[in-house]
């Protein structure tokens, strides 16, 4: 017996053209319909005037049936062939579908139609009918009939929700109107008529500054139009204004630029980065093209071969793609010795490597666009911060990072689609405070940050990555071949001569202060704090000898010598009669630092007043007590020969509002920030600090 199904007429209160764009977003895959596994285009054709578009697809659907029935049938999915006939002139879409799997046992036929509402041309009607004829199915005809109709009814209901989902998504992205199809001759006549009223400049400003002038929306000569299918397959949805801006900028480049003209996808990134303001996008693009020519970036993928040391210790690499088809890059930053890499290969080599990653990312986007049949112009980066500590706040390394951010943002705009940061530790807000002002606001909005294990389960990585590509080190089942990083042996560091050649040692010395520490004459720096919950950060290298580092606080006024304000290397800074616990306090337990170590740390202040950073020579027999030197001790040490310790140091104070502001900006990026902010806030009482050695 043939079972039939007829759906009620559904009405979408949106124009036919907008509904069609929403409908096309269901392909080639549709996450909102789990049984829909994917599709591929078998045949495609268009009428001469472009009004009629015929697409034939092969669609795979997962079998929603008991395991026994699937085992007997011997299949986990079935194949349907769907034929779509879109008539833009008549504003209709007719859909016919039939099953190929088990066609001699079961016959399923489906007919759907989208039409303009007869009483409101800005609304769209949808109708659906289907028939099921089960001739024979291993004796399970009755069971299969019930399963099929139940699933079919559920999927019909789900189909309406899917279209509404994509309609809402389009509207939220600013797309609420799609122009109706008009014959080519009509478009030419309209363009000529408009050209007579206004002669557009080849560099007419498009974007926010021209919002009051609708003229850019109506520029529509044939030369200002791109093939609709090309836009759909390679560029994504563009409004007429955006399409016009792209054509104008490309034409300007063809007329004035000497050299290789970038692809439309490349030009479009710069337009999006400048909100389709044509003059600003042109300026940004020209600067980037000049930079690419100067540094031979077009040849980078052919010429750059990372040093073996980078391949072993740089903990980053490509790993499949996310659920949207974007290439996925994984960076295990917490496992990477950034300071060691800087000292072993130099800043320029690291920059070259970062640029090669971005070039490879663009290449992979092009490949995924062809593979998935839809525009993919950006990639996803997953950053694992497990192991991130204050050694990553080495100041030359932070400066190099800021430089790399500047280069990437200026030359690879809109290439980062999403940044997933997992296992963010308490120290992360300090790093974020330093680098966030240099990151474009649009880019910051793409950051999703998870602390602890919050990346696991619903709302975590499974929302953005298929389960079968989540790396094993994050609890997934997929083996990830990204290098694990680790500490770079100091024996591999560049020599001072190499560093001088790289012009790096000079830069590092401009950042750091040098100091000598004598027995009985420590090196001290005073820092005046005006408000509580400021953050004092320090970073120093022990070049010779062993020292003990301590941090003190006092409310008493210190008498400073003639040196620069806030710092003094010798002399009595406190009254000899001051008592520990009464006149001053030790707010950091003394830390023994060995020769060759690099130490980074921070302290969230509880009180205003003067803080004293002290380095004194380590004497093993002496007790590790908190004490400040007297004037006689200092004078004796200065005038007496003896061993000296040497160090390079840097310190910085992050204002309370900046530090707390970094927390707020992070929380605004993602509601899943979770306990990171609370953990850092609670750590300021009574004292929060961290120091460690990079050995």
């Amino acid at each position: 017996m043939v079972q039939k199904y007829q759906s009620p007429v559904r009405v979408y209160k949106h124009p036919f053209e907008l509904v069609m764009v929403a409908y096309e977003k269901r392909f080639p895959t549709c996450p909102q319909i789990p049984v829909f596994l994917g599709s591929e285009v078998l045949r495609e054709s268009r009428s001469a005037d472009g009004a009629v578009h015929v697409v034939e697809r092969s669609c795979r659907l997962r079998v929603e049936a008991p395991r026994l029935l699937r085992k007997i049938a011997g299949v986990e999915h079935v194949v349907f062939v769907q034929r779509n006939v879109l008539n833009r002139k008549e504003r209709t879409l007719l859909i016919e579908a039939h099953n190929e799997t088990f066609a001699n046992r079961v016959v399923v036929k489906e007919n759907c139609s989208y039409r303009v509402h007869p009483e409101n041309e800005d609304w769209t009607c949808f109708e659906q009918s289907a028939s099921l004829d089960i001739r024979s199915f291993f004796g399970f005809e009755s069971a299969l009939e019930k399963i099929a109709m139940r699933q079919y009814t559920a999927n019909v209901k789900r189909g309406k929700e899917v279209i509404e989902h994509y309609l809402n998504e389009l509207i939220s992205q600013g797309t609420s109107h799609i122009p109706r199809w008009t014959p080519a001759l009509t478009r030419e006549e309209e363009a000529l008529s408009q050209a007579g009223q206004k002669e557009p400049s080849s560099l007419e400003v498009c974007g926010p500054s021209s919002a009051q002038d609708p003229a850019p929306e109506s520029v529509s000569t044939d030369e200002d139009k791109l093939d609709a299918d090309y836009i759909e397959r390679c560029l994504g949805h563009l409004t007429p204004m955006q399409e016009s801006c792209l054509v104008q900028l490309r034409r300007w480049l063809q007329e004035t630029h000497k050299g290789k003209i970038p692809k439309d996808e490349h030009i479009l990134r710069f337009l999006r980065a400048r909100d389709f303001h044509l003059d600003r996008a042109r300026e940004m693009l020209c600067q980037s093209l000049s930079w690419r020519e100067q540094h031979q970036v077009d040849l980078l993928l052919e010429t750059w071969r990372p040093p073996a040391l980078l391949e072993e210790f740089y903990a980053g690499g490509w790993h499949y793609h996310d659920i949207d088809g974007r290439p996925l890059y994984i960076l295990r930053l917490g496992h990477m010795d950034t300071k060691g890499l800087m000292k072993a290969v130099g800043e320029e080599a690291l920059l070259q490597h970062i640029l090669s990653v971005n070039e490879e990312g663009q290449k992979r986007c092009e490949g995924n666009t062809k593979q998935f049949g839809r525009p993919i112009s950006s990639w996803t980066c997953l950053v694992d911060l497990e192991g991130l500590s204050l050694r990553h706040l080495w100041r030359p390394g932070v400066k190099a990072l800021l430089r790399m951010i500047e280069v990437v943002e200026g030359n690879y705009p809109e290439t980062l689609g999403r940044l997933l940061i997992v296992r963010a530790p308490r120290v992360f807000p300090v790093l974020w405070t330093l680098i966030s002002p240099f990151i474009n606001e649009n880019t910051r909005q793409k950051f999703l940050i998870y602390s602890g294990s919050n990346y696991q389960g619903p709302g975590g990585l499974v929302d953005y990555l298929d389960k079968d590509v989540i790396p094993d080190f994050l609890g997934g089942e997929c083996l990830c071949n990204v290098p694990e990083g680790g500490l770079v042996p100091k024996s591999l560091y560049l020599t001072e001569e190499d560093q001088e050649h790289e012009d790096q040692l000079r830069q590092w010395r401009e950042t750091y202060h040098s100091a000598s520490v004598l027995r009985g004459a420590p090196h001290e720096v005073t820092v005046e704090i005006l408000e509580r919950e400021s953050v004092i950060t320090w970073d120093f290298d022990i070049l010779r000898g062993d020292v003990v580092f301590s941090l003190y606080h006092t409310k008493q006024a210190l008498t400073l010598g003639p040196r620069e304000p806030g710092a003094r290397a010798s002399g009595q800074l406190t009254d000899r009669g001051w008592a520990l616990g009464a006149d001053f306090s030790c707010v950091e337990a003394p830390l023994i630092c060995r020769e060759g170590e690099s130490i980074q740390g921070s302290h969230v202040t509880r009180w205003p007043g003067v803080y004293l950073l002290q380095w004194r020579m380590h004497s093993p027999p002496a007790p590790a007590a908190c004490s400040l030197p007297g004037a006689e001790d200092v004078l004796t040490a200065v005038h007496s020969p003896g061993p000296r310790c040497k160090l390079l140091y840097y310190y910085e104070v992050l204002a309370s509002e900046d530090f707390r502001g970094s927390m707020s900006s992070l929380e605004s990026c993602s509601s899943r920030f979770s306990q990171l902010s609370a953990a850092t806030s609670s750590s300021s009482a009574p004292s929060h600090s961290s120091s460690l050695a990079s050995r």
Side-chain angles (χ1 to χ4, degrees), residues 229-247:
D229 181 58
Y230 165 70
I231 293 176
E232 182 180 344
R233 286 186 294 106
C234 302
L235 304 181
H237 172 71
L238 296 176
T239 68
M241 178 275 289
Q242 293 170 345
E243 183 181 338
S244 176
C245 286
L246 173 59
V247 173

Side-chain angles (χ1 to χ4, degrees), residues 19-75:
V19 174
M20 289 300 97
V21 175
Y23 173 79
E24 285 299 324
K25 290 176 76 68
R26 292 179 51 174
F27 301 101
T29 59
C30 186
Q32 288 76 20
I33 304 181
V35 299
F36 188 78
L37 300 178
S39 64
E40 60 178 316
V41 175
L42 302 176
R43 283 171 287 277
E44 190 171 8
S45 63
R46 283 183 173 80
S47 61
D49 61 359
V52 180
H53 184 197
V54 180
V55 180
E56 192 169 316
R57 293 184 177 92
S58 174
C59 305
R60 293 179 295 113
L61 282 77
R62 183 167 54 243
V63 176
E64 291 289 310
R67 185 172 181 274
L68 176 63
L69 190 56
R70 296 202 308 270
K71 188 173 182 180
I72 292 174
V75 297

